[in-house]
mmCIF file of all heavy atoms in Angstrom:
data_model
loop_
_atom_site.group_PDB
_atom_site.id
_atom_site.type_symbol
_atom_site.label_atom_id
_atom_site.label_comp_id
_atom_site.label_asym_id
_atom_site.label_seq_id
_atom_site.Cartn_x
_atom_site.Cartn_y
_atom_site.Cartn_z
ATOM 1 N N ARG A 347 29.679 22.713 -5.278
ATOM 2 C CA ARG A 347 29.582 21.257 -5.506
ATOM 3 C C ARG A 347 31.097 20.497 -5.357
ATOM 4 O O ARG A 347 31.952 21.225 -6.022
ATOM 5 C CB ARG A 347 29.119 20.770 -6.663
ATOM 6 C CG ARG A 347 27.560 21.079 -6.776
ATOM 7 C CD ARG A 347 26.906 20.750 -8.118
ATOM 8 N NE ARG A 347 25.600 21.068 -8.214
ATOM 9 C CZ ARG A 347 24.908 21.005 -9.320
ATOM 10 N NH1 ARG A 347 25.351 20.375 -10.537
ATOM 11 N NH2 ARG A 347 23.564 21.298 -9.370
ATOM 12 N N PRO A 348 31.290 19.488 -4.782
ATOM 13 C CA PRO A 348 32.491 18.907 -4.682
ATOM 14 C C PRO A 348 32.923 18.220 -6.088
ATOM 15 O O PRO A 348 32.045 17.848 -6.786
ATOM 16 C CB PRO A 348 32.502 17.790 -3.619
ATOM 17 C CG PRO A 348 31.052 17.464 -3.623
ATOM 18 C CD PRO A 348 30.343 18.785 -3.846
ATOM 19 N N SER A 349 34.207 18.167 -6.443
ATOM 20 C CA SER A 349 34.598 17.610 -7.582
ATOM 21 C C SER A 349 34.531 16.020 -7.556
ATOM 22 O O SER A 349 34.833 15.472 -6.630
ATOM 23 C CB SER A 349 36.060 17.999 -7.930
ATOM 24 O OG SER A 349 36.548 17.366 -9.026
ATOM 25 N N THR A 350 34.011 15.387 -8.677
ATOM 26 C CA THR A 350 33.945 13.983 -8.676
ATOM 27 C C THR A 350 35.094 13.310 -9.384
ATOM 28 O O THR A 350 34.996 12.146 -9.682
ATOM 29 C CB THR A 350 32.699 13.667 -9.377
ATOM 30 O OG1 THR A 350 32.666 14.059 -10.694
ATOM 31 C CG2 THR A 350 31.401 14.143 -8.524
ATOM 32 N N LYS A 351 36.116 14.187 -9.756
ATOM 33 C CA LYS A 351 37.297 13.430 -10.550
ATOM 34 C C LYS A 351 38.072 12.775 -9.538
ATOM 35 O O LYS A 351 38.453 13.316 -8.550
ATOM 36 C CB LYS A 351 37.931 14.581 -11.280
ATOM 37 C CG LYS A 351 37.236 15.270 -12.407
ATOM 38 C CD LYS A 351 38.076 16.220 -13.194
ATOM 39 C CE LYS A 351 37.180 16.860 -14.236
ATOM 40 N NZ LYS A 351 38.018 17.867 -14.955
ATOM 41 N N PRO A 352 38.686 11.535 -9.974
ATOM 42 C CA PRO A 352 39.722 10.853 -8.998
ATOM 43 C C PRO A 352 41.046 11.634 -9.003
ATOM 44 O O PRO A 352 41.367 12.133 -9.995
ATOM 45 C CB PRO A 352 39.737 9.575 -9.625
ATOM 46 C CG PRO A 352 39.338 9.623 -11.061
ATOM 47 C CD PRO A 352 38.317 10.812 -11.079
ATOM 48 N N THR A 353 41.683 11.723 -7.843
ATOM 49 C CA THR A 353 42.877 12.335 -7.529
ATOM 50 C C THR A 353 43.842 11.322 -7.100
ATOM 51 O O THR A 353 43.410 10.450 -6.286
ATOM 52 C CB THR A 353 42.739 13.582 -6.788
ATOM 53 O OG1 THR A 353 42.089 13.174 -5.448
ATOM 54 C CG2 THR A 353 41.880 14.630 -7.333
ATOM 55 N N ALA A 354 45.006 11.674 -7.386
ATOM 56 C CA ALA A 354 46.160 10.856 -6.903
ATOM 57 C C ALA A 354 46.543 11.326 -5.395
ATOM 58 O O ALA A 354 45.905 12.196 -4.944
ATOM 59 C CB ALA A 354 47.459 10.848 -7.702
ATOM 60 N N ALA A 355 47.528 10.705 -4.751
ATOM 61 C CA ALA A 355 47.911 11.078 -3.393
ATOM 62 C C ALA A 355 48.317 12.570 -3.330
ATOM 63 O O ALA A 355 48.061 13.184 -2.306
ATOM 64 C CB ALA A 355 48.939 10.125 -2.869
ATOM 65 N N GLY A 356 49.032 13.018 -4.364
ATOM 66 C CA GLY A 356 49.467 14.356 -4.280
ATOM 67 C C GLY A 356 48.655 15.404 -4.825
ATOM 68 O O GLY A 356 48.872 16.569 -4.775
ATOM 69 N N GLY A 357 47.342 15.044 -5.105
ATOM 70 C CA GLY A 357 46.252 15.943 -5.422
ATOM 71 C C GLY A 357 46.291 16.072 -6.998
ATOM 72 O O GLY A 357 45.285 16.768 -7.476
ATOM 73 N N ALA A 358 47.072 15.397 -7.798
ATOM 74 C CA ALA A 358 47.088 15.547 -9.232
ATOM 75 C C ALA A 358 45.962 14.603 -9.739
ATOM 76 O O ALA A 358 45.775 13.611 -9.129
ATOM 77 C CB ALA A 358 48.386 15.207 -9.764
#
Side-chain angles (χ1 to χ4, degrees):
R347 293 178 183 175
S349 176
T350 57
K351 296 180 180 181
T353 57

